[in-house]
Structures are given as C-alpha cells and as structure tokens.
C-alpha cells in the first residue's frame, strides 16, 4: 500500500500541472484503503505543501470534485472505484484528463481498456506477494519462525488516457477514431465525422 501510494504521488506531482489532489476511497473503512489513503496524502503533502490534498466524501463526491481547484490529480482505491469516478466525471462538465486525472490500482486490463477514457493503473506485484505468502505458510507448517511482515512492491504502471493530457491534434484524431469505432456499422460518412467533431473536412484531413 505504501509503494502504491508513493508511485501515484510521484506520478501526479511530477508534472506540476495540478492545483489539487484527492484520494477516492471505497464504501466503508477497509484497512488496505486507509493505508493507501494515509500514505498518498502524506507523500503529496511532502511534494506540494501549499496545495490541497483531500479525501473525497462518498456522500457528496460530485460537489466535492467541482469545488476543488482544477486540474486535480486523483488516486482511486482500485480500478473499480476509479471506474465509478470516471462515470461521475463523464456526467458533469469535468473533462478527463484536462480537468481531472485519475489513477486506479490493480491494472484489471479488460476494465481499464473498456472505460472512456481508458484508465491508467498501478499493477501490484501479485506474483511476488503469492510467493512470499507461500513461503510464510511453509514456515508455519514446519513450525519455523515466520517473517513479522511480508513486504511487496509494485510490478509496473500502465499509463493510459485518464492521465495523459493529449495534444489537440492527437485528441481530435482519438475522438474521431472512437466515433468511427462506435458508428462503423451505421453507414457514417466523412462529413458525419466532421459534424460530430465540429471541424472542417480540410482540418480533419490534415490531422
């Protein structure tokens, strides 16, 4: 949890473009989430002392989000809760990643890739965690002394569109591709794509 929090804080404070930071927790006070929240807010405060770093309330998430200085960088407790947050943002005027950048945890690939926009996620080192747990069980079965604590880190960070502030040209092309993928079987024309994007055919061709 500490490694996850540190990496999320490092990613979000590295660009210096954010005006505030937040943690989005699950329902209820799960111990693993409390740890992630505590360390994330601590690491952000160490890097960006003068900027707000808060926990978003579950009861009034939309209002709290709209009240934060933007852009805001957010660590969600895991990918499922990040998906909830993306949905909340998509139902408001908040643009992702321009106004809100979101990082999830677990890198559930099907979920992360199917969201709009796709979700940046931190993947813990589950394999090493399983290996360490197995070793601890073997020690217990052999009545040997077990480690007081099993320490596991992160395996990788998969960066996707929820944190990448795209250049205008790239954003236009990606919006066009998303629209074409969605409407490909409904007989759309190039002019339909231009109308949807609110750009000229010449500009679309150049991009």
């Amino acid at each position: 949890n500490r490694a996850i929090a540190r990496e999320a804080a490092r990613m979000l404070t590295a660009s210096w473009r954010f005006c505030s930071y937040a943690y989005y927790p699950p329902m209820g006070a799960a111990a693993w989430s409390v740890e992630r929240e505590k360390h994330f807010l601590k690491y952000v405060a160490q890097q960006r002392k003068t900027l707000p770093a808060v926990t978003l309330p579950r009861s009034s998430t939309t209002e709290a989000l709209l009240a934060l200085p933007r852009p805001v960088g957010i660590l969600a407790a895991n990918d499922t809760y990040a998906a909830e947050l993306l949905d909340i943002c998509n139902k408001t005027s908040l643009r992702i990643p321009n106004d809100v950048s979101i990082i999830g945890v677990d890198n559930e690939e099907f979920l992360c890739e199917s969201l709009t926009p796709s979700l940046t996620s931190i993947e813990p080192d589950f394999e090493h965690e399983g290996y360490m747990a197995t070793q601890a069980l073997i020690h217990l079965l052999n009545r040997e002394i077990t480690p007081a604590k099993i320490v596991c880190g992160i395996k990788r960070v998969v960066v996707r569109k929820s944190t990448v502030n795209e250049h205008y040209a790239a954003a236009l092309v990606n919006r066009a591709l998303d629209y074409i993928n969605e409407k490909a079987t409904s007989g759309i024309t190039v002019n339909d794509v231009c109308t949807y994007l609110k750009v000229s055919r010449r500009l679309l061709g150049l991009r």
Side-chain angles (χ1 to χ4, degrees):
N1 290 314
R2 185 177 298 173
I4 288 166
R6 184 188 295 115
E7 183 60 23
R10 185 197 66 75
M11 285 181 64
L12 293 172
T13 58
S15 72
W16 290 81
R17 78 178 184 91
F18 296 106
C19 298
S20 60
Y21 300 87
Y23 180 81
Y24 186 60
M27 296 292 287
W32 57 268
S33 176
V34 171
E35 281 292 301
R36 284 181 194 177
E37 173 188 349
K38 176 181 73 175
H39 292 298
F40 175 71
L41 297 178
K42 180 185 79 174
Y43 290 132
V44 167
Q46 286 173 354
Q47 297 299 317
R48 307 298 304 275
K49 295 180 177 64
T50 60
L51 299 183
V54 301
T55 300
L56 293 171
R58 297 287 310 195
S59 58
S60 55
T61 304
T62 304
E63 294 81 358
L65 258 179
L66 291 168
L68 282 171
R70 284 171 274 180
V72 54
I74 301 175
L75 170 63
N78 63 24
D79 293 340
T80 302
Y81 297 110
E84 276 183 19
L85 200 54
L86 279 165
D87 187 52
I88 290 169
C89 292
N90 286 331
K91 289 176 180 175
T92 68
S93 59
L94 297 170
R95 299 167 302 154
I96 301 170
N98 302 63
D99 297 323
V100 179
S101 285
I102 302 171
I103 298 175
V105 181
D106 291 340
N107 191 36
E108 295 183 30
E109 290 190 1
F110 179 78
L111 175 62
C112 293
E113 293 288 353
S114 64
L115 294 170
T116 304
S118 57
L119 178 67
T120 292
S121 187
I122 297 170
E123 182 177 331
D125 194 348
F126 294 121
E127 291 176 3
H128 180 65
E129 184 178 21
Y131 175 78
M132 295 294 290
T134 303
Q135 289 293 102
L137 282 170
I138 291 169
H139 285 304
L140 283 169
L141 291 169
N142 293 332
R143 290 186 164 83
E144 298 169 357
I145 296 172
T146 58
K149 188 195 300 188
I150 295 174
V151 179
C152 298
I154 61 171
K155 188 172 184 179
R156 60 180 176 154
V157 179
V158 181
V159 178
R160 300 186 180 93
K161 293 181 183 178
S162 70
T163 55
V164 177
N165 198 1
E166 295 176 301
H167 184 273
Y168 170 75
L172 187 70
V173 170
N174 284 326
R175 285 178 60 216
L177 290 172
D178 289 342
Y179 179 75
I180 292 166
N181 285 333
E182 184 183 342
K183 304 289 185 180
T185 60
S186 59
I188 57 169
T189 66
V190 175
N191 287 335
D192 292 328
V193 180
C194 295
T195 301
Y196 171 76
L197 296 172
K198 297 181 175 63
V199 298
S200 69
R201 183 164 179 155
R202 182 174 180 275
L203 178 60
L204 183 61
L206 285 169
R207 298 308 180 208

